Amino acid sequence: MFKDSDHAWNPTAEEIRIWAYSDALIPEQDWELAVNSFENIPMICSFVDDEECKHISFFLSCLYVFTGDFVRSRKNEEYNKLIELLNRIEVIAKSEELKDWIKRSKDLILNPDKYDYRFWGLGSEYVY
């Protein structure tokens, strides 16, 4: 699926989509960091809401890592962008897992001191 490990660290949306529905193992350790971006979050949310996706837990973990990294880096100028994204996704979210991520993300944005790597980092206890 990926030409080499360097390519796996810069995946296209189509490559991520193909992997989501495959039985393939995660291409690289900590790959959550490679797929996370504002542009990919709606697609990642669609995977979490799709029972046909083979890697729902992985993508749910991506969401927690995304919010955690965002809040931890204190990108205050982009908070509105994240809130708008969460509000758009909230309207179409189907699964309880996705709705929980949205609720928890909004709470963390309002209360950044609640950040705990165990829940917002790789291997999130909210997911695994």
Side-chain angles (χ1 to χ4, degrees), residues 4-103:
D4 53 40
S5 63
D6 287 340
H7 192 68
W9 278 102
N10 190 24
T12 65
E14 184 59 25
E15 289 168 331
I16 297 168
R17 187 174 291 105
I18 289 168
W19 181 80
Y21 294 95
S22 76
D23 290 320
L25 297 176
I26 186 171
E28 291 289 326
Q29 182 177 348
D30 301 338
W31 199 52
E32 293 93 330
L33 304 174
V35 301
N36 273 345
S37 68
F38 269 107
E39 296 75 25
N40 285 344
I41 294 301
M43 175 180 63
I44 291 170
C45 289
S46 72
F47 297 148
V48 172
D49 265 352
D50 185 354
E51 293 177 5
E52 299 297 316
C53 177
K54 306 273 182 142
H55 302 284
I56 290 173
S57 294
F58 169 83
F59 288 112
L60 187 57
S61 178
C62 286
L63 296 175
Y64 282 101
V65 170
F66 181 80
T67 302
D69 284 353
F70 183 88
V71 170
R72 191 175 54 142
S73 68
R74 308 248 188 224
K75 296 179 182 175
N76 294 333
E77 68 279 358
E78 293 188 341
Y79 274 166
N80 287 340
K81 185 176 179 181
L82 181 55
I83 292 290
E84 289 172 17
L85 179 63
L86 292 168
N87 287 338
R88 281 197 322 263
I89 294 167
E90 188 173 34
V91 172
I92 59 173
K94 298 178 215 167
S95 68
E96 288 305 312
E97 293 84 2
L98 189 56
K99 291 175 185 177
D100 286 344
W101 167 71
I102 293 166
K103 178 181 167 189

Side-chain angles (χ1 to χ4, degrees), residues 100-116:
D100 286 344
W101 167 71
I102 293 166
K103 178 181 167 189
R104 290 171 176 153
S105 292
K106 287 181 175 183
D107 183 56
L108 186 65
I109 291 166
L110 294 174
N111 304 286
D113 292 339
K114 288 184 176 182
Y115 174 86
D116 184 333

